[in-house]
Amino acid sequence: MTYPQKVWACRLLVCAALIGALEAGAHMIGAASDLLPPPSVVVADLPALLADPKVELAIFTLIKQLLIAFACSILFGALLGYGVAAWQRIERITLPIVLLVYSIPQITVLPVFVLCFGLGSGSKIAFGISHGIFPIALGVISGIQKSRANPIYLRWADSLGASRSQKLTAILLPQAVGSVCTGVRLSMATTLLGVLLADLYVSDNGVGYFIKFYTDTQQGPRLFGLVVILAMAAVIINSAVGRFERYAGRWML
Amino acid sequence: MSTQATKDQSQARSHFDRGVQLGFILLLLGLWYAVTAFGYVSKLLLPSPQSVVQELSGLLTKSDFWFDVWITLTSIIQAYGLAVVAGVVLGSLIGQSKFAYDVFQPIFAGAFAIPLIIIYPMILYLAGIGPLSKILFGAIYGFLPVALAAMSAFANVPAKWRRYAATLTTNQWLVTRRVLIPAAIPELLSGLRISYVVTFASVIAGEMIAAFAGLGRVISYNAEVLEPARMYAAIMVVIAFAALVNSLMSRLQPRSERA
Amino acid sequence: MLQDSKTRMALSVGQLTQTFQSRGESRTVLSDISLDIREGEVLCLLGPSGCGKSTLLNIFGGFLTPGTGIAKCGDDPITGPRPGDIAFVFQESVLFPWATVIENMETALEFRGVPKAQRREKAMTYLAQVGVDEFAQHYPGQISGGMKQRVALAAALSLETPILLMDEPFAALDEQTRMVLGEDLSRLLTQTKKTIVFVTHSLNEAVFMADRIVVLTARPGRIKGIISVDEPHPRSPDFMTSDSFSAIRRDVYSLLRDEIRKADA
């Protein structure tokens, strides 16, 4: 067995052991725990959960909100990052302000979002954007800083008489792509977190509502079904973007 | 060009930058005052700065509010303490072996990518609407970045230092104490900072979603009863508190990196 | 000076062959090397890139176990690093960035079990010997590459081991710095009477410092020839401009030339 195979085998073993422990633990607590069902029961209940049209709608709504928020995060985040870092003079003034705003625990201003954007999709999307925009902006900024730290490539391009757009596509972007991808990956996770936070806080008829509802009515299998779906989606998206990130940054090693 | 001249120049430049930043913030405050004074936005959405300041002084003199501060503070300290101890212990154990690091790192990184807020209602149900639920939630969320930083810090100690240490001694405990731990500290510290931010936000989030007391509850309660001025005042207290601890923590840097 | 046939061996390898596996391919780096290094001699390993000279040094240092054959320190087989017998100077700086120069020195001494009360004085003595005592309170990040290697050398000397191994200790430095360091080293090493094995790419460095120069072939590394330099230590800068220096340098280069072309091919 090669080393990567060994690592994967062990990783699967650890995950299997965790699931096995949950299964055994749930059986040990027994019927007393409607809220803590064994994983096998959760999986068996998944089709029933997904067949519920209200849940289906909630999931689709969540996906829609997430995609809109994510797209806006990328757009605004890239603009913000580029605007801050494109000129060093401006960066020195604006970057501390961006970092200051970023250091505010955003959860505190969630009610302000609800006041501004109402109880529906608006506040969830907006809160997702406010969470997703900073990782993108900071990724772009650090990417531009990295290109700038290696002025030799730019000088080489200048010596060949490259145009501004040639320099941008041939030299700045390739050097920035690793940091930008890291930003995209982090932004995906934080956008989802932002949307779900607002969803749980507002709790109208979205996924957040169902999570609360299933908890309050002790429908453990349903609750965990939803949690598992969301968690799996987060992990899969994260590792997919991470894979692309390693691919895009492979030249750095 | 003397170096003194360039030094003066860069100092003047940084004074100028500070001035522009200050001006920007004053401009925002002025804008805030203007739009509320001339009634461009509803008072419910954005109360005037004077009313927020008034509410702030009102809050700070009430003992109820200090009780909420106390609840939040103790919850954060307990959650953070749990997160740090568990994270450092488990992370540094995993980081001792490259193989263990390769096996476990993606599992922890994957878990940290999950918006764990989705398990909060369940924790709430199991632990009740008391401090315990938010302490547990904050601890679980804050544990992951500490563990990740600790395992990576130890697993990535440069091989050259291990080899150098091996030419000097066979005493592994000495090597751990004098080489591995100092080498791991910068990355560990940045993990501790991230963990603090995450724990803080998690505890506040827990309080906002469901709690009887705490700063998060003060914010969400005043939003519900439409007392925006008081809500903004409470938000300011929380932000000031977070910023204070943040700046204290960013001072925690190893000597050699300060120079 | 090395005529005494009863001189004890400090380090030796016999019929050593070293093969590495990488991605299913096996590469023989060293082939059938037998070499005895006498106590108190300064021996230089010279050869084209990739000829395995660093590998041989790492085997002496105990970082690698011999594939076939045997490596010995005195009469003991080498099975791992031997802190009591062998000090090692690495190619790159291994000074801990979080500790000052003097703290780095003291840490090394602490590792060797030197009592706390003696560490400071001993560290300062050796720092003074290599001429960096005035930088004792600086962090490694604040001093030049040449200074860092001087400190690394002081740390290795302070361990007071009979044997010193150096893996291209001056490779990262500019030529003028390495010439000055080489002179200082030659003077220091005469005083200490250590057995020294060092790896270098520099012909001048090899001839100037070594009692014997072992020239290795391109991969797989074999011993192509051994050239003695019968010039007493300490060697003055004048030696470098002497005819005997040029003659030895020419001999070494003629052994090396074909191998460099082979390695490059």
Side-chain angles (χ1 to χ4, degrees):
Chain A
M1 231 187 333
T2 64
Y3 182 80
Q5 284 170 333
K6 249 188 250 171
V7 168
W8 266 107
C10 271
R11 208 178 286 156
L12 291 177
L13 220 64
V14 168
C15 293
L18 277 177
I19 294 171
L22 281 178
E23 184 86 27
H27 280 297
M28 234 159 22
I29 308 173
S33 69
D34 286 327
L35 199 65
L36 294 172
S40 55
V41 175
V42 174
V43 172
D45 190 56
L46 269 183
L49 171 73
L50 290 173
D52 185 335
K54 281 193 212 140
V55 173
E56 224 169 75
L57 181 69
I59 290 178
F60 277 122
T61 314
L62 178 72
I63 292 173
K64 202 172 71 190
Q65 290 161 348
L66 179 66
L67 286 180
I68 295 173
F70 190 48
C72 292
S73 292
I74 289 181
L75 181 67
F76 298 146
L79 285 177
L80 176 63
Y82 188 75
V84 166
W87 291 274
Q88 242 170 315
R89 212 54 210 93
I90 292 176
E91 181 190 301
R92 288 224 318 278
I93 294 169
T94 52
L95 185 56
I97 296 177
V98 172
L99 290 176
L100 184 74
V101 176
Y102 184 43
S103 73
I104 293 174
Q106 291 191 36
I107 179 73
T108 55
V109 293
L110 175 51
V112 178
F113 278 76
V114 176
L115 282 177
C116 291
F117 298 97
L119 288 168
S121 275
S123 59
K124 296 172 197 171
I125 292 173
F127 205 55
I129 295 173
S130 84
H131 272 72
I133 195 170
F134 286 101
I136 300 267
L138 293 176
V140 171
I141 291 169
S142 110
I144 294 177
Q145 284 174 340
K146 248 180 225 161
S147 316
R148 207 188 281 141
N150 267 333
I152 185 149
Y153 299 115
L154 277 179
R155 270 182 223 150
W156 174 73
D158 282 334
S159 78
L160 295 172
S163 70
R164 198 179 162 79
S165 69
Q166 281 172 326
K167 283 191 285 191
L168 188 70
T169 53
I171 289 171
L172 292 179
L173 282 181
Q175 290 193 82
V177 79
S179 313
V180 174
C181 284
T182 308
V184 169
R185 184 171 52 84
L186 291 177
S187 168
M188 191 73 217
T190 51
T191 307
L192 180 59
L193 178 65
V195 172
L196 280 170
L197 273 172
D199 208 5
L200 269 165
Y201 179 74
V202 172
S203 190
D204 48 356
N205 50 11
V207 169
Y209 165 77
F210 282 101
I211 288 178
K212 269 192 173 172
F213 173 74
Y214 289 144
T215 311
D216 294 342
T217 54
Q218 295 203 40
Q219 299 190 52
R222 291 284 155 99
L223 169 66
F224 274 94
L226 260 185
V227 167
V228 165
I229 290 172
L230 288 172
M232 292 292 280
V235 169
I236 290 170
I237 294 171
N238 185 59
S239 71
V241 185
R243 226 159 247 270
F244 179 73
E245 184 184 334
R246 276 194 296 280
Y247 169 78
R250 66 196 180 287
W251 54 270
M252 279 190 282
L253 303 166
Chain B
M1 279 282 269
S2 73
T3 51
Q4 185 59 39
T6 50
K7 205 173 166 189
D8 286 350
Q9 215 172 18
S10 84
Q11 217 160 32
R13 219 188 257 174
S14 96
H15 281 316
F16 175 77
D17 290 353
R18 288 272 166 281
V20 175
Q21 284 161 2
L22 203 67
F24 178 75
I25 288 166
L26 286 176
L27 183 77
L28 280 186
L29 283 175
L31 216 64
W32 181 12
Y33 175 79
V35 293
T36 51
F38 301 115
Y40 288 125
V41 283
S42 146
K43 280 217 156 39
L44 275 181
L45 228 54
L46 190 65
S48 68
Q50 312 91 290
S51 62
V52 172
V53 170
Q54 208 178 353
E55 287 292 346
L56 187 62
S57 67
L59 273 184
L60 293 178
T61 49
K62 260 200 309 195
S63 63
D64 285 7
F65 181 72
W66 287 106
F67 175 71
D68 286 310
V69 171
W70 173 247
I71 290 286
T72 301
L73 204 65
T74 49
S75 303
I76 289 174
I77 291 172
Q78 291 175 66
Y80 189 54
L82 279 172
V84 168
V85 171
V88 168
V89 169
L90 200 65
S92 54
L93 283 178
I94 291 173
Q96 295 305 311
S97 137
K98 177 83 181 118
F99 182 74
Y101 173 78
D102 286 342
V103 169
F104 283 102
Q105 200 274 345
I107 297 177
F108 280 77
F112 192 45
I114 298 171
L116 286 182
I117 189 75
I118 55 180
I119 61 165
Y120 185 65
M122 189 185 61
I123 294 177
L124 207 56
Y125 184 86
L126 294 175
I129 305 187
L132 184 62
S133 56
K134 45 190 174 164
I135 291 172
L136 280 178
F137 179 57
I140 293 172
Y141 226 144
F143 155 79
L144 291 169
V146 180
L148 278 165
M151 68 179 77
S152 142
F154 280 100
N156 296 328
V157 172
K160 63 176 183 180
W161 287 333
R162 290 179 192 271
R163 272 161 49 111
Y164 175 48
T167 67
L168 299 172
T169 181
T170 49
N171 181 340
Q172 274 315 304
W173 166 234
L174 204 55
V175 174
T176 306
R177 199 156 52 92
R178 306 306 299 273
V179 181
L180 301 187
I181 290 178
I185 275 179
E187 198 174 353
L188 197 58
L189 280 182
S190 77
L192 291 184
R193 275 202 293 271
I194 298 172
S195 164
Y196 160 72
V197 171
V198 170
T199 307
F200 187 99
S202 302
V203 169
I204 301 281
E207 287 175 347
M208 285 175 67
I209 288 171
F212 293 133
L215 285 171
R217 175 66 193 146
V218 176
I219 295 172
S220 60
Y221 173 78
N222 283 301
E224 277 163 38
V225 298
L226 297 181
E227 284 279 6
R230 202 173 297 158
M231 177 189 82
Y232 275 99
I235 289 175
M236 282 182 170
V237 172
V238 176
I239 290 176
F241 180 70
L244 179 74
V245 181
N246 242 336
S247 74
L248 284 180
M249 291 194 91
S250 60
R251 258 159 233 253
L252 280 179
Q253 253 174 27
R255 282 176 299 174
S256 58
E257 294 196 1
R258 262 190 243 154
Chain C
M1 66 186 259
L2 296 164
Q3 262 66 36
D4 181 5
S5 62
K6 289 205 181 66
T7 309
R8 298 206 315 142
M9 295 311 152
L11 293 167
S12 60
V13 284
Q15 281 127 46
L16 176 86
T17 295
Q18 192 75 6
T19 305
F20 289 119
Q21 301 287 338
S22 76
R23 300 177 192 195
E25 256 180 87
S26 72
R27 291 191 313 171
T28 302
V29 180
L30 291 170
S31 171
D32 194 27
I33 304 267
S34 294
L35 184 64
D36 290 326
I37 300 165
R38 290 172 278 230
E39 263 181 14
E41 87 170 313
V42 180
L43 185 125
C44 172
L45 298 172
L46 194 68
S49 299
C51 73
K53 47 194 190 301
S54 287
T55 307
L56 185 54
L57 202 71
N58 283 336
I59 288 171
F60 282 135
F63 301 124
L64 293 170
T65 42
T68 59
I70 187 153
K72 286 202 286 194
C73 173
D75 295 323
D76 301 338
I78 298 173
T79 53
R82 303 170 67 93
D85 300 319
I86 299 175
F88 209 104
V89 179
F90 294 88
Q91 182 175 354
E92 49 177 349
S93 170
V94 287
L95 298 180
F96 303 127
W98 56 82
T100 59
V101 164
I102 186 80
E103 285 165 354
N104 264 289
M105 296 283 293
E106 287 173 336
T107 305
L109 291 168
E110 181 187 354
F111 280 14
R112 287 300 310 122
V114 174
K116 194 177 170 74
Q118 299 168 21
R119 285 180 211 152
R120 167 90 19 152
E121 199 192 329
K122 206 166 194 172
M124 282 313 288
T125 310
Y126 281 97
L127 281 178
Q129 276 197 18
V130 299
V132 283
D133 44 333
E134 56 183 307
F135 297 103
Q137 301 301 334
H138 286 58
Y139 284 98
Q142 299 170 319
I143 59 178
S144 69
M147 291 296 171
K148 276 186 226 168
Q149 280 313 71
R150 280 178 186 265
V151 176
L153 191 63
L157 292 175
S158 74
L159 307 175
E160 295 174 348
T161 55
I163 301 171
L164 180 63
L165 304 180
M166 302 192 288
D167 186 4
E168 301 193 41
F170 311 134
L173 308 179
D174 65 82
E175 193 183 342
Q176 283 146 32
T177 309
R178 42 198 300 175
M179 266 162 59
V180 177
L181 256 175
E183 275 169 39
D184 291 359
L185 193 58
S186 165
R187 177 176 49 75
L188 272 172
L189 300 183
T190 333
Q191 294 162 1
T192 57
K193 306 269 184 239
K194 284 178 195 292
T195 307
I196 295 156
V197 184
F198 71 100
V199 167
T200 185
H201 268 117
S202 158
L203 280 174
N204 285 344
E205 219 165 85
V207 179
F208 186 71
M209 300 210 321
D211 294 320
R212 281 197 300 162
I213 301 166
V214 177
V215 178
L216 296 172
T217 64
R219 199 167 63 222
R222 294 191 177 80
I223 293 180
K224 170 123 180 182
I226 300 181
I227 290 175
S228 295
V229 184
D230 294 323
E231 173 80 15
H233 290 281
R235 294 171 182 170
S236 76
D238 296 334
F239 172 53
M240 216 179 268
T241 52
S242 69
D243 292 339
S244 62
F245 185 92
S246 311
I248 299 168
R249 195 180 183 285
R250 200 161 46 236
D251 291 348
V252 175
Y253 185 63
S254 67
L255 276 182
L256 202 54
R257 192 177 43 206
D258 298 340
E259 300 308 324
I260 297 175
R261 292 199 182 279
K262 264 187 241 163
D264 206 30

